[in-house]
Short mmCIF file of all heavy atoms in Angstrom, two decimals:
data_model
loop_
_atom_site.label_atom_id
_atom_site.label_comp_id
_atom_site.label_asym_id
_atom_site.label_seq_id
_atom_site.Cartn_x
_atom_site.Cartn_y
_atom_site.Cartn_z
N ARG X 422 -10.07 -10.61 18.49
CA ARG X 422 -10.12 -10.99 19.88
C ARG X 422 -10.37 -9.76 20.78
O ARG X 422 -9.66 -9.54 21.76
CB ARG X 422 -8.74 -11.66 20.34
CG ARG X 422 -8.40 -12.90 19.57
CD ARG X 422 -9.34 -14.02 19.87
NE ARG X 422 -9.23 -15.16 18.91
CZ ARG X 422 -10.08 -16.16 18.97
NH1 ARG X 422 -11.09 -16.21 19.74
NH2 ARG X 422 -10.00 -17.11 18.03
N THR X 423 -11.34 -8.94 20.37
CA THR X 423 -11.72 -7.81 21.16
C THR X 423 -12.80 -8.36 22.15
O THR X 423 -13.30 -9.35 22.09
CB THR X 423 -12.23 -6.65 20.29
OG1 THR X 423 -13.41 -7.14 19.59
CG2 THR X 423 -11.17 -6.20 19.39
N ASN X 424 -13.09 -7.43 23.14
CA ASN X 424 -14.24 -7.72 23.96
C ASN X 424 -14.86 -6.37 24.38
O ASN X 424 -14.27 -5.31 24.21
CB ASN X 424 -13.88 -8.58 25.15
CG ASN X 424 -12.89 -7.80 26.09
OD1 ASN X 424 -13.18 -6.85 26.59
ND2 ASN X 424 -11.74 -8.46 26.26
N MET X 425 -16.09 -6.47 24.94
CA MET X 425 -16.78 -5.19 25.20
C MET X 425 -16.28 -4.38 26.35
O MET X 425 -16.85 -3.28 26.59
CB MET X 425 -18.35 -5.44 25.29
CG MET X 425 -19.01 -5.90 23.99
SD MET X 425 -18.73 -4.70 22.67
CE MET X 425 -19.59 -3.23 23.34
N ASP X 426 -15.20 -4.82 26.97
CA ASP X 426 -14.58 -4.00 27.97
C ASP X 426 -13.59 -3.00 27.34
O ASP X 426 -13.04 -2.06 28.03
CB ASP X 426 -13.85 -4.83 29.05
CG ASP X 426 -14.75 -5.64 29.93
OD1 ASP X 426 -15.99 -5.19 30.07
OD2 ASP X 426 -14.40 -6.79 30.31
N MET X 427 -13.24 -3.28 26.11
CA MET X 427 -12.25 -2.40 25.47
C MET X 427 -12.91 -1.11 24.89
O MET X 427 -13.96 -1.19 24.32
CB MET X 427 -11.58 -3.15 24.31
CG MET X 427 -10.74 -4.36 24.79
SD MET X 427 -10.19 -5.22 23.28
CE MET X 427 -9.27 -6.62 24.15
N LYS X 428 -12.14 0.01 25.07
CA LYS X 428 -12.66 1.20 24.55
C LYS X 428 -12.92 1.19 23.06
O LYS X 428 -13.89 1.73 22.57
CB LYS X 428 -11.58 2.30 24.84
CG LYS X 428 -12.00 3.69 24.67
CD LYS X 428 -10.95 4.67 25.33
CE LYS X 428 -11.07 5.99 24.64
NZ LYS X 428 -9.97 6.82 25.01
N ILE X 429 -12.03 0.53 22.30
CA ILE X 429 -12.23 0.48 20.86
C ILE X 429 -13.54 -0.24 20.48
O ILE X 429 -14.10 -0.01 19.39
CB ILE X 429 -11.06 -0.19 20.13
CG1 ILE X 429 -10.68 -1.55 20.68
CG2 ILE X 429 -9.95 0.72 19.95
CD1 ILE X 429 -9.78 -2.37 19.88
N ALA X 430 -14.00 -1.16 21.31
CA ALA X 430 -15.25 -1.93 21.05
C ALA X 430 -16.44 -1.16 21.54
O ALA X 430 -17.60 -1.38 21.00
CB ALA X 430 -15.17 -3.30 21.68
N ARG X 431 -16.29 -0.21 22.50
CA ARG X 431 -17.46 0.39 23.08
C ARG X 431 -17.77 1.78 22.40
O ARG X 431 -18.93 2.09 22.21
CB ARG X 431 -17.16 0.75 24.52
CG ARG X 431 -17.39 -0.40 25.58
CD ARG X 431 -17.58 0.12 26.93
NE ARG X 431 -16.58 1.19 27.25
CZ ARG X 431 -15.34 1.00 27.69
NH1 ARG X 431 -14.95 -0.21 27.89
NH2 ARG X 431 -14.52 2.00 27.95
N GLU X 432 -16.76 2.51 22.06
CA GLU X 432 -17.03 3.95 21.66
C GLU X 432 -17.05 4.01 20.11
O GLU X 432 -16.37 3.33 19.38
CB GLU X 432 -15.91 4.79 22.17
CG GLU X 432 -16.01 4.87 23.76
CD GLU X 432 -14.96 5.88 24.33
OE1 GLU X 432 -14.35 6.66 23.58
OE2 GLU X 432 -14.81 5.79 25.55
N GLU X 433 -17.86 4.97 19.63
CA GLU X 433 -17.96 5.22 18.21
C GLU X 433 -16.66 5.93 17.76
O GLU X 433 -16.29 6.95 18.24
CB GLU X 433 -19.08 6.14 17.82
CG GLU X 433 -19.25 6.27 16.35
CD GLU X 433 -20.37 7.28 15.86
OE1 GLU X 433 -20.38 8.37 16.48
OE2 GLU X 433 -21.09 6.84 15.07
N ILE X 434 -15.89 5.22 16.83
CA ILE X 434 -14.55 5.76 16.35
C ILE X 434 -14.79 6.62 15.13
O ILE X 434 -14.15 7.67 14.96
CB ILE X 434 -13.63 4.60 16.12
CG1 ILE X 434 -13.40 3.77 17.42
CG2 ILE X 434 -12.31 5.09 15.52
CD1 ILE X 434 -12.54 2.63 17.25
N PHE X 435 -15.74 6.27 14.21
CA PHE X 435 -16.04 7.00 13.04
C PHE X 435 -14.78 7.05 12.15
O PHE X 435 -14.42 8.08 11.65
CB PHE X 435 -16.59 8.37 13.32
CG PHE X 435 -17.71 8.77 12.47
CD1 PHE X 435 -18.85 7.97 12.43
CD2 PHE X 435 -17.71 9.91 11.63
CE1 PHE X 435 -19.97 8.34 11.58
CE2 PHE X 435 -18.80 10.27 10.87
CZ PHE X 435 -19.92 9.46 10.80
N GLY X 436 -14.20 5.86 11.97
CA GLY X 436 -13.01 5.75 11.13
C GLY X 436 -12.91 4.33 10.74
O GLY X 436 -13.71 3.44 11.24
N PRO X 437 -11.84 3.94 9.97
CA PRO X 437 -11.74 2.57 9.42
C PRO X 437 -11.21 1.58 10.39
O PRO X 437 -10.19 1.02 10.26
CB PRO X 437 -10.77 2.77 8.28
CG PRO X 437 -9.94 3.93 8.63
CD PRO X 437 -10.83 4.81 9.46
N VAL X 438 -11.97 1.29 11.45
CA VAL X 438 -11.56 0.43 12.48
C VAL X 438 -12.64 -0.60 12.83
O VAL X 438 -13.69 -0.22 13.20
CB VAL X 438 -11.14 1.21 13.82
CG1 VAL X 438 -10.62 0.23 14.88
CG2 VAL X 438 -10.14 2.31 13.56
N MET X 439 -12.27 -1.89 12.66
CA MET X 439 -13.20 -2.94 12.92
C MET X 439 -12.73 -3.78 14.15
O MET X 439 -11.55 -4.06 14.20
CB MET X 439 -13.27 -3.86 11.71
CG MET X 439 -14.32 -5.02 11.87
SD MET X 439 -13.94 -6.28 10.55
CE MET X 439 -14.66 -5.50 9.16
N CYS X 440 -13.66 -4.11 15.03
CA CYS X 440 -13.34 -4.96 16.12
C CYS X 440 -14.01 -6.35 15.97
O CYS X 440 -15.23 -6.32 15.67
CB CYS X 440 -13.88 -4.33 17.37
SG CYS X 440 -13.12 -2.80 17.84
N VAL X 441 -13.28 -7.46 16.14
CA VAL X 441 -13.87 -8.67 15.88
C VAL X 441 -13.82 -9.52 17.20
O VAL X 441 -12.71 -9.65 17.83
CB VAL X 441 -13.24 -9.57 14.73
CG1 VAL X 441 -14.15 -10.67 14.37
CG2 VAL X 441 -12.95 -8.61 13.54
N GLN X 442 -14.96 -10.00 17.65
CA GLN X 442 -15.06 -10.67 18.94
C GLN X 442 -15.65 -12.10 18.71
O GLN X 442 -16.49 -12.26 17.77
CB GLN X 442 -16.02 -9.85 19.78
CG GLN X 442 -16.44 -10.43 21.03
CD GLN X 442 -17.13 -9.42 21.88
OE1 GLN X 442 -17.08 -8.15 21.65
NE2 GLN X 442 -17.76 -9.92 22.97
N ALA X 443 -15.17 -13.10 19.38
CA ALA X 443 -15.66 -14.42 19.14
C ALA X 443 -16.82 -14.81 20.08
O ALA X 443 -16.94 -14.25 21.17
CB ALA X 443 -14.52 -15.45 19.29
N PHE X 444 -17.76 -15.70 19.64
CA PHE X 444 -18.66 -16.35 20.55
C PHE X 444 -18.69 -17.81 20.33
O PHE X 444 -18.42 -18.28 19.22
CB PHE X 444 -20.06 -15.63 20.47
CG PHE X 444 -20.82 -15.88 19.12
CD1 PHE X 444 -21.70 -16.97 18.99
CD2 PHE X 444 -20.69 -14.94 18.12
CE1 PHE X 444 -22.31 -17.16 17.81
CE2 PHE X 444 -21.37 -15.15 16.90
CZ PHE X 444 -22.24 -16.21 16.71
N GLY X 445 -19.14 -18.62 21.35
CA GLY X 445 -19.18 -20.07 21.26
C GLY X 445 -20.58 -20.44 21.07
O GLY X 445 -21.48 -19.68 20.52
N ASP X 446 -20.95 -21.66 21.47
CA ASP X 446 -22.30 -22.24 21.31
C ASP X 446 -23.23 -21.71 22.39
O ASP X 446 -23.87 -22.45 23.12
CB ASP X 446 -22.29 -23.82 21.30
CG ASP X 446 -21.55 -24.29 20.08
OD1 ASP X 446 -21.76 -23.76 18.99
OD2 ASP X 446 -20.82 -25.29 20.23
N SER X 447 -23.27 -20.36 22.48
CA SER X 447 -24.10 -19.83 23.55
C SER X 447 -25.59 -19.72 23.10
O SER X 447 -25.87 -19.87 21.90
CB SER X 447 -23.64 -18.39 23.95
OG SER X 447 -22.44 -18.13 23.30
N GLU X 448 -26.42 -19.38 24.05
CA GLU X 448 -27.81 -19.06 23.75
C GLU X 448 -27.84 -17.78 22.92
O GLU X 448 -27.01 -16.87 23.08
CB GLU X 448 -28.66 -18.80 25.00
CG GLU X 448 -28.73 -19.92 25.96
CD GLU X 448 -29.63 -21.10 25.37
OE1 GLU X 448 -30.51 -20.77 24.53
OE2 GLU X 448 -29.26 -22.30 25.66
#
Side-chain angles (χ1 to χ4, degrees):
R422 302 286 165 194
T423 59
N424 63 61
M425 289 306 295
D426 292 330
M427 294 175 181
K428 193 170 155 187
I429 50 169
R431 275 198 322 273
E432 296 182 12
E433 185 185 47
I434 299 175
F435 223 58
V438 183
M439 179 197 285
C440 296
V441 196
Q442 171 169 349
F444 67 90
D446 290 321
S447 351
E448 296 295 326

